Amino acid sequence: MSDGSSTEMVVAILRTEIARLAPGDRLPSSRELTTRHGVSPVTVSRAFAQLAAEGEVVTRPGSGTYVSPRRTHPAADTPDTSWQAVALAGREFDPGTQDGPPDPPPAGVIAMAGGYLHPSLRPDRALSAALARAARRPDAWDRAPAAGLAPLRAIFARTAGGAVGPEDVLVTGGGQGSLSMVFRALAAPGSPVLVESPTYPGALAAARAAGLRPVPVPMDGDGIRPDLLADAFAVTGARLLYCQPTFHNPTGTVLAPERRRQVVDVARAAGAFLVEDDFARHLGHGGPVPRALVADDRDGTVIQLTSLTKPASPSLRIAAVIARGPVMRRLQGMRRVDDFFIARPLQEAAVELVSTPAWDRHLRALSTRLRERCAVLAGALARELPDWTPARIPEGGLHLWVQLPSGLDDATVAEAARAHGVAVNPGTPSFPAEPPGAFLRLGFAAAEDPADLTEGARRLADAARACATA
């Protein structure tokens, strides 16, 4: 029998096999087919190649050959990407729940979800002026250094305080990108990462996307508990802790002064890194902002993430990682692999923005307006929903964290709230494991006007009554 006829025979046999199998089922191996039908391995390989070219099978090296998803005879000009379900099998990616800017709510829906400022709170005119000045620089379109522009690194170092110097700073493209890079740099897939419970949903998403396993460490009114943190390190063998010691998202908690040193010491004793997410340093409501953990750490235990995005604009994707020792060299190496450097015009614009008096004026005004909005929302909740007691009135940040009364489900209430014209965030995505109750995260910075927060609370009360009587 010629090679051609042998191949046609095996193709016909495999077509019959495919017809009785379901999409994703594994076909017999080359060795089985060779033995069963008395043909050569080359013949079997040619048969599989022909069927793969026709879209009937998908071959995964080292695993086998599988039946492709059934085609439904789409129109000739309609793409069919169903084959990707088989090709991506075994390469699962869990993006989790992000905390970026939500899609614009429909007209009439009050925005109390998401984690960014309403345009009326942003320094848009100062941003535009800074970008225009940056564009006029003769070297504006030159390649930027991989670690970031020296003046920008110096600005981040001064903000961190202590002994942090520009050489300890790596400029990055936004806080979320920093999280992703740091998680990939510090822990191998499958490793545990300790997190406060609750925590920032975007951190859980970044950890899981890196293949890490988030492990909850409980908090109380003073922040993460050092005693339980030590237990978690001992039980899990984790070498990584992610926390937000200043104006924690979502609760607004500030890690108590006596605990700040304890938490660093516990991490150091475990031989672990502590990732300090300092996203809210510029979002205080007028009171003192605690000193950053990284400012007093000289041994490289603390790696700080900080950003200009939250107090400025979602599109000012400028952040920084502060680290010391071999881990900084690793991060710089990852930068060269991932994206080489951050666009110079954006870095130049950031330098122009934060180096002018307009930036300080903006931060002072933003502090006042956030404090006022927080008070408006807290007062409206007290009137409209007196049994929805916030865990605390935060001294910084963009949210109130509210526990719902027994019998209410956060996802159900959030869905009902949207139906009543107000968008809020359910609390469950903030927990790395089972939540201890039902919570909502209510933002006071994304609404157009403080009066909208009062109306939003009223609509929430209507939604809660609808859920209670459903």
Side-chain angles (χ1 to χ4, degrees):
M1 186 180 296
S2 68
D3 288 345
S5 58
S6 296
T7 302
E8 291 172 6
M9 178 194 73
V10 176
V11 167
I13 292 169
L14 288 174
R15 288 192 197 281
T16 302
E17 192 90 6
I18 291 167
R20 66 178 182 80
L21 294 175
D25 283 351
R26 190 175 183 276
L27 287 162
S29 68
S30 295
R31 181 176 296 179
E32 291 177 68
L33 292 170
T34 299
T35 303
R36 188 188 305 171
H37 302 293
V39 294
S40 71
V42 173
T43 296
V44 174
S45 296
R46 288 173 176 168
F48 276 145
Q50 179 177 328
L51 291 170
E54 295 172 3
E56 297 293 333
V57 301
V58 174
T59 298
R60 288 162 52 192
S63 177
T65 302
Y66 297 81
V67 178
S68 295
R70 302 290 188 226
R71 296 180 181 270
T72 56
H73 303 292
D77 59 347
T78 302
D80 179 12
T81 60
S82 58
W83 62 273
Q84 294 183 4
V86 177
L88 292 172
R91 300 167 179 82
E92 283 73 18
F93 169 67
D94 177 11
T97 301
Q98 297 296 333
D99 197 36
D103 294 333
V109 174
I110 295 172
M112 291 169 59
Y116 287 101
L117 303 176
H118 185 270
S120 64
L121 298 177
R122 299 192 316 233
D124 283 0
R125 291 180 62 183
L127 277 165
S128 296
L131 189 60
R133 291 194 301 272
R136 289 195 294 269
R137 289 178 175 269
D139 56 354
W141 293 100
D142 288 355
R143 174 173 177 155
L149 298 181
L152 187 55
R153 297 168 73 194
I155 288 168
F156 279 120
R158 286 196 300 272
T159 301
V164 175
E167 69 278 3
D168 302 320
V169 178
L170 175 66
V171 177
T172 63
Q176 192 66 30
S178 300
L179 263 177
S180 177
M181 180 172 63
V182 166
F183 282 155
R184 288 183 289 119
L186 299 184
S191 301
V193 52
L194 305 186
V195 299
E196 297 149 318
S197 183
T199 190
Y200 165 49
L204 296 177
R208 288 169 177 147
L212 308 185
R213 177 168 50 89
V215 177
V217 181
M219 301 174 62
D220 60 20
D222 290 326
I224 193 169
R225 290 181 50 181
D227 57 334
L228 297 180
L229 176 62
D231 290 345
F233 274 125
V235 169
T236 64
R239 292 293 180 266
L240 181 58
L241 163 67
Y242 167 82
C243 68
Q244 305 165 85
T246 303
F247 308 136
H248 173 270
N249 177 7
T251 68
T253 304
V254 174
L255 188 61
E258 64 275 10
R259 290 190 181 180
R260 299 177 86 82
R261 185 72 253 168
Q262 284 181 280
V263 168
V264 177
D265 288 344
V266 169
R268 180 179 294 119
F273 290 104
L274 187 161
V275 176
E276 176 190 22
D277 190 342
D278 202 33
F279 77 98
R281 180 147 298 273
H282 297 301
L283 300 177
H285 295 176
V289 179
R291 185 176 171 92
L293 299 185
V294 75
D296 298 312
D297 171 62
R298 299 185 62 86
D299 302 322
T301 297
V302 179
I303 296 175
Q304 190 200 63
L305 311 180
T306 185
S307 173
L308 297 176
T309 302
K310 292 291 188 182
S313 164
S315 287
L316 187 64
R317 307 303 299 169
I318 293 292
V321 178
I322 296 175
R324 297 182 178 91
V327 70
M328 174 54 87
R329 292 190 289 276
R330 177 174 293 193
L331 291 167
Q332 289 172 342
M334 294 183 71
R335 151 59 43 76
R336 293 184 177 94
V337 170
D338 285 353
D339 54 11
F340 296 124
F341 57 91
I342 302 304
R344 184 165 191 141
L346 202 57
Q347 292 192 62
E348 296 281 11
V351 172
E352 289 283 349
L353 175 69
V354 302
S355 300
T356 63
W359 178 244
D360 291 333
R361 288 196 299 270
H362 163 67
L363 292 181
R364 288 194 297 270
L366 178 62
S367 173
T368 299
R369 296 171 77 180
L370 290 179
R371 182 175 65 249
E372 292 171 347
R373 283 167 169 253
C374 181
V376 167
L377 180 55
L381 288 175
R383 292 189 301 273
E384 299 288 347
L385 292 156
D387 52 346
W388 287 26
T389 306
R392 66 187 46 76
I393 304 302
E395 297 178 356
L398 308 175
H399 310 101
L400 288 179
W401 182 244
V402 176
Q403 182 164 11
L404 301 181
S406 177
L408 289 179
D409 172 74
D410 61 324
T412 301
V413 172
E415 184 178 353
R418 195 167 185 89
H420 282 77
V422 57
V424 300
N425 292 117
T428 296
S430 294
F431 290 93
E434 295 81 6
F439 297 81
L440 292 181
R441 194 187 69 172
L442 308 179
F444 47 79
E448 183 173 359
D449 187 88
D452 290 336
L453 300 172
T454 301
E455 174 62 15
R458 189 193 66 76
R459 295 182 187 184
L460 271 176
D462 290 342
R465 285 190 287 270
C467 290
T469 58

